Amino acid sequence: MSTSFDTRTRHDSHGRYPEAVTVEDFRQNLATVRARIDAACRRVDRDPETVRLLPVSKTKPEASLRLAHAAGCRMLGENKPQEAYRKWEVMQDLTDLQWSVIGHLQTNKAKLVARFATEFQALDSLRVAEALERRLQTEGRSLDVFVQVNTSGEASKYGLAPEEVPTFIQVLPSFSALRVRGLMTLALFSSEAERVRQCFILLRTLRDQLRDRAPAGIGLDELSMGMSGDFEIAIEEGATVVRVGQAIFGARDTPDSHYWPTGSTTEEAPSLKSKEPQT
Ligand SMILES: *Cc1c(COP(=O)(O)O)cnc(C)c1O
């Protein structure tokens, strides 16, 4: 994998994804995204089977999620634990549907996640690990987890600083209900593909450095990176999970600032620029 590709971001097309309203819409959108995944894999000689597509259903109503399920989706990603929990509660008739929580967790919401989620991709503190472990023990459940890393240096993004990750990984074996699978990141929101790519390269490099030294039982094979606007670049740099919402479900009305406190959907907000590392 190298930086010789000129794959561009698609953040500017976000507002244009039409709402999927039929099962056929979902089938088509899934096929289109899958084809883009396959094409990105071909560019870097990767087997498309090594990339999992996680459809992200946040803000979308129950009816849309049911259509996505009918079109074949068996795991859905949700950013907010409470929204995810509500949706899980009303869709328990879909017994083969699993849930991945991909957004920041406060310790007081750990009990919700412990109850229904199969996967949690935003582990970024010891306190959250402790809270989840305790609640999972109570529930008699376990959870696949990804450690979230802040690769963009933006203060608005959650996640551990890259240099904090090695120490953090060392303590995770003491949480027996957490099955560590890999690392997760959100890249810079920018139409400058090269800067976005640097975030993905940073996550992969970190994973490669840590993998050999990882404590027993800590898996670091997975790299969850890439969303509707940048997943092809992420795949070129080694993503094994891409989290794709709008390209499957349609554009969201809710601004992304609702999910990333001071973030912005298309370009870095000017106020953030000063906090970014100089390039
Ligand atoms: C919403 C979200 C995504 C998907 O973003 P899209 O632009 O809808 O593809 C990916 N990751 C996280 C953490 C999210 O909250």
Side-chain angles (χ1 to χ4, degrees):
M1 285 163 251
S2 73
T3 60
S4 59
F5 299 95
D6 58 1
T7 311
R8 317 219 343 221
T9 66
R10 301 184 187 225
H11 292 306
D12 51 356
S13 58
H14 268 183
R16 288 190 247 124
Y17 292 115
E19 188 76 20
V21 292
T22 64
V23 180
E24 194 45 42
D25 289 345
F26 276 99
R27 286 206 188 99
Q28 264 171 28
N29 291 349
L30 287 163
T32 302
V33 169
R34 210 58 244 194
R36 284 169 56 187
I37 291 173
D38 292 358
C41 284
R42 274 197 300 278
R43 288 196 288 277
V44 288
D45 261 331
R46 291 189 57 193
D47 177 357
E49 297 279 311
T50 62
V51 179
R52 167 160 65 104
L53 170 60
L54 175 63
V56 175
S57 50
K58 69 185 188 209
T59 78
K60 300 298 178 182
E62 178 189 346
S64 294
L65 276 63
R66 287 185 179 275
L67 291 173
H69 176 266
C73 299
R74 290 297 175 266
M75 188 186 268
L76 295 174
E78 286 280 337
N79 185 296
K80 303 258 184 206
Q82 267 166 318
E83 178 181 343
Y85 186 78
R86 275 198 309 275
K87 287 174 171 172
W88 166 74
E89 272 192 312
V90 296
M91 279 184 260
Q92 291 192 38
D93 54 308
L94 304 180
T95 49
D96 59 353
L97 183 58
Q98 299 190 316
W99 299 88
S100 177
V101 173
I102 59 177
H104 183 70
L105 183 63
Q106 292 169 309
T107 51
N108 61 357
K109 307 273 166 51
K111 72 167 176 294
L112 296 185
V113 171
R115 197 164 298 160
F116 77 96
T118 298
E119 182 175 272
F120 173 57
Q121 293 205 359
L123 183 62
D124 62 358
S125 78
L126 219 49
R127 289 182 61 229
V128 168
E130 283 161 2
L132 279 172
E133 173 73 16
R134 191 155 38 86
R135 296 297 184 171
L136 285 162
Q137 295 292 354
T138 309
E139 298 280 341
R141 299 186 74 240
S142 57
L143 190 64
D144 287 338
V145 300
F146 290 62
V147 175
Q148 183 171 356
V149 184
N150 181 342
T151 55
S152 67
E154 294 166 290
S156 64
K157 296 272 168 65
Y158 291 112
L160 293 167
E163 60 273 18
E164 295 172 324
V165 180
T167 317
F168 186 68
I169 295 282
Q170 294 303 320
V171 302
L172 294 182
S174 56
F175 304 104
S176 60
L178 304 181
R179 292 185 302 251
V180 182
R181 299 299 192 202
L183 307 179
M184 178 271 219
T185 200
L186 282 155
L188 193 70
F189 282 100
S190 171
S191 54
E192 290 177 64
E194 207 41 53
R195 299 181 68 202
V196 172
R197 187 181 295 276
Q198 289 311 317
C199 297
F200 298 141
I201 291 174
L202 176 55
L203 196 71
R204 184 191 70 227
T205 307
L206 185 63
R207 191 274 315 263
D208 291 348
Q209 285 167 357
L210 294 175
R211 189 152 50 173
D212 296 337
R213 295 184 272 126
I218 298 300
L220 285 178
D221 291 327
E222 305 285 343
L223 287 176
S224 175
M225 54 190 198
M227 41 208 283
S228 293
D230 57 19
F231 70 79
E232 284 130 314
I233 300 173
I235 289 169
E236 288 169 2
E237 299 304 337
T240 64
V241 181
V242 291
R243 310 175 307 267
V244 179
Q246 300 181 84
I248 295 171
F249 284 82
R252 278 185 299 276
D253 298 332
T254 318
D256 279 345
S257 55
H258 183 62
Y259 295 93
W260 299 288
T262 53
S264 118
T265 46
T266 50
E267 279 294 323
E268 314 88 298
S271 61
L272 289 174
K273 283 199 165 142
S274 58
K275 292 182 195 156
E276 285 163 17
Q278 298 300 305
T279 49

